[in-house]
């Protein structure tokens, strides 16, 4: 994927090579994801349920396992959770701050590309339904259109990218 190598180069480059330094940013993203699960749940439900959700995320064996390995899923999870939190916590035009965060999640892990648009549409629909203003030229519509254009541009140019070498593994590109 595109983003993780650029993120870790600022940490791994200047620090001595060790297992700790190689995995530190992945563990930091995983621990931050626990905090984001807490914040999202607090925003949607209540603080008591948010504490329980954060606790479950912290002790989940898969969360622990993926957080201590240097896999791209930690970054994708972190960016998608941060994007969800920004959409849910910001109002009106400030929700557009989540778009580059979702793009970073999209470019962090190949498997996350399939979740990009459905997660954004679901969050924007929820935000639109719970919003006070309901005009058609809302930032939610613009957010959704820009996300769709981003996805379409990536899909149309995938054969010219390094990730395009794996398109033969997908059934939809099979001749």
């Amino acid at each position: 994927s595109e983003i993780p190598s650029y993120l870790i180069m600022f940490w791994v480059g200047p620090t001595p090579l060790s297992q700790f330094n190689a995995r530190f940013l992945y563990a930091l993203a995983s621990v931050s994801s626990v905090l984001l699960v807490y914040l999202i749940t607090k925003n949607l439900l209540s603080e008591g349920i948010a504490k329980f959700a954060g606790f479950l995320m912290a002790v989940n064996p898969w969360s622990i396992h993926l957080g201590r390995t240097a896999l791209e899923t930690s970054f994708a999870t972190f960016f998608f959770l941060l994007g969800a939190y920004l959409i849910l916590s910001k109002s009106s035009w400030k929700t557009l701050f989540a778009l580059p965060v979702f793009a970073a999640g999209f470019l962090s892990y190949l498997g996350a590309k399939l979740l990009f648009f459905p997660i954004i549409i679901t969050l924007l629909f929820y935000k639109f339904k719970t919003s006070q203003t309901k005009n058609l030229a809302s930032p939610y519509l613009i957010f959704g259109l820009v996300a769709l254009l981003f996805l379409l541009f990536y899909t149309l140019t995938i054969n010219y990218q390094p990730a395009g070498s794996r398109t033969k593994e997908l059934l939809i590109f099979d001749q």
Side-chain angles (χ1 to χ4, degrees):
S1 292
E2 296 85 353
I3 295 289
S5 57
Y6 292 114
L7 291 175
I8 64 172
M9 76 178 185
F10 292 110
W11 174 257
V12 172
T15 60
L17 188 59
S18 70
Q19 289 293 327
F20 175 81
N21 287 334
R23 296 177 178 169
F24 177 74
L25 290 180
Y26 294 94
L28 186 64
S30 182
V31 170
S32 299
S33 295
V34 172
L35 177 65
L36 287 168
V37 165
Y38 166 78
L39 292 172
I40 290 169
T41 310
K42 183 179 174 186
N43 188 310
L44 291 174
L45 301 169
S46 69
E47 184 158 356
I49 296 173
K51 286 178 183 177
F52 185 65
F55 172 75
L56 286 180
M57 178 78 171
V59 299
N60 181 346
W62 282 110
S63 177
I64 294 168
H65 173 69
L66 292 174
R68 7 183 347 242
T69 58
L71 295 174
E72 299 154 338
T73 55
S74 297
F75 286 129
T77 303
F78 168 75
F79 286 127
F80 278 8
L81 287 172
L82 180 59
Y85 175 70
L86 289 174
I87 285 178
L88 294 172
S89 65
K90 301 296 180 196
S91 61
S92 189
W93 292 99
K94 292 181 182 176
T95 57
L96 294 175
F97 288 128
L99 192 56
V101 175
F102 271 109
F106 180 86
L107 297 172
S108 291
Y109 177 55
L110 188 65
K113 290 171 179 32
L114 294 175
L115 299 174
F116 174 75
F117 198 65
I119 288 175
I120 288 176
I121 291 303
T122 304
L123 287 167
L124 291 177
F125 182 74
Y126 173 80
K127 189 67 174 185
F128 178 75
K129 283 297 194 184
T130 59
S131 175
Q132 303 300 330
T133 60
K134 304 227 192 271
N135 57 10
L136 285 178
S138 70
Y140 312 123
L141 182 62
I142 292 170
F143 193 115
L145 288 175
V146 171
L148 180 62
L149 288 174
F150 181 79
L151 180 64
L152 288 175
F153 177 76
Y154 187 85
T155 304
L156 293 174
T157 62
I158 191 139
N159 291 327
Y160 305 106
Q161 301 172 28
S165 64
R166 295 192 65 190
T167 56
K168 294 171 189 66
E169 298 173 20
L170 297 173
L171 183 61
I172 59 174
F173 291 106
D174 191 11
Q175 299 294 334

